[in-house]
């Protein structure tokens, strides 16, 4: 009777854990390409970038908070030259049009280096979905809201002791900055990084 009871308990645990395991796959891009913004970014005179934000349920989890710090550092490194270039252009008379870029983490599952060392590929794959809310600061009109997705496979993360997980963060910020550059002269859209 105890074997039957143990199997029953195991079955209940598996049924209760299934939604949690399946929810890991919910972090992905909605399509392979981002639509073009409502207008080219060159129509604006000045550009501002807010710090990356992250809400529930991802905020407050130690690996995700560490990933947020790395994401911000990667974005600052990659977007700085572009901001200097576009904000250094000739000044205009009158009130300048300001484009505000508000990045936020729309989903993340980051496997820390410690988990990679102890669990290896069994810890699963890391994923991140970064979105940019691009707004005309003067009117509040949303010009675009592109999304960027990247992942790091469990085996790659295991072989690199977490290096692949950190590289994923650099790749997703590169996609975001590439989108900003590509849509400056003309509104053309760009890849999400999703398949």
């Amino acid at each position: 009777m105890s074997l039957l009871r143990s199997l029953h308990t195991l079955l209940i645990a598996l049924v209760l854990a299934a939604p949690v395991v399946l929810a890991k796959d919910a972090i992905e891009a909605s399509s392979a390409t981002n639509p073009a913004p409502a207008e080219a970014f060159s129509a604006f005179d000045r550009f501002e970038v807010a710090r990356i934000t992250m809400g529930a349920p991802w905020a407050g989890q130690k690996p995700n908070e560490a990933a947020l710090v790395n994401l911000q550092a990667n974005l600052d490194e990659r977007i700085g030259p572009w901001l200097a270039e576009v904000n250094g252009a000739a000044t205009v008379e009158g009130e300048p049009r300001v484009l505000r870029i508000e990045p936020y983490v729309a989903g993340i599952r980051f496997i820390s280096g410690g988990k990679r060392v102890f669990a290896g590929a069994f810890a699963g794959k890391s994923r991140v979905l970064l979105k940019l809310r691009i707004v005309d600061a003067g009117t509040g009109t949303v010009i675009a809201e592109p999304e960027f997705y990247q992942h790091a496979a469990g085996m790659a993360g295991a072989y690199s002791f977490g290096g692949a997980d950190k590289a994923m963060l650099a790749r997703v910020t590169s996609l975001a900055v590439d989108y900003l550059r590509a849509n400056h002269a003309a509104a053309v859209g760009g890849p999400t990084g999703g398949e």
Side-chain angles (χ1 to χ4, degrees), residues 44-46 92-98:
F44 294 86
D45 305 310
R46 202 176 85 228
V92 293
E93 293 182 26
E95 191 67 30
R97 281 187 79 194
V98 178

Side-chain angles (χ1 to χ4, degrees), residues 1-12:
M1 189 75 172
S2 69
L3 177 63
L4 185 60
R5 186 168 188 82
S6 297
L7 288 174
H8 180 64
T9 304
L10 179 63
L11 181 62
I12 289 174

Side-chain angles (χ1 to χ4, degrees), residues 109-163:
R109 179 173 190 262
F110 188 75
I111 307 300
S112 67
K115 270 191 181 175
R116 282 288 180 222
V117 169
F118 291 111
F122 293 111
K125 72 179 183 178
S126 290
R127 309 172 177 81
V128 63
L129 183 63
L130 178 70
K131 290 188 177 185
L132 302 181
R133 187 170 180 271
I134 302 172
V135 181
D136 180 335
T139 65
T141 304
V142 176
I143 304 300
E145 195 162 359
E147 63 182 11
F148 307 97
Y149 171 79
Q150 286 292 289
H151 69 270
M155 286 301 285
Y159 281 119
S160 65
F161 295 102

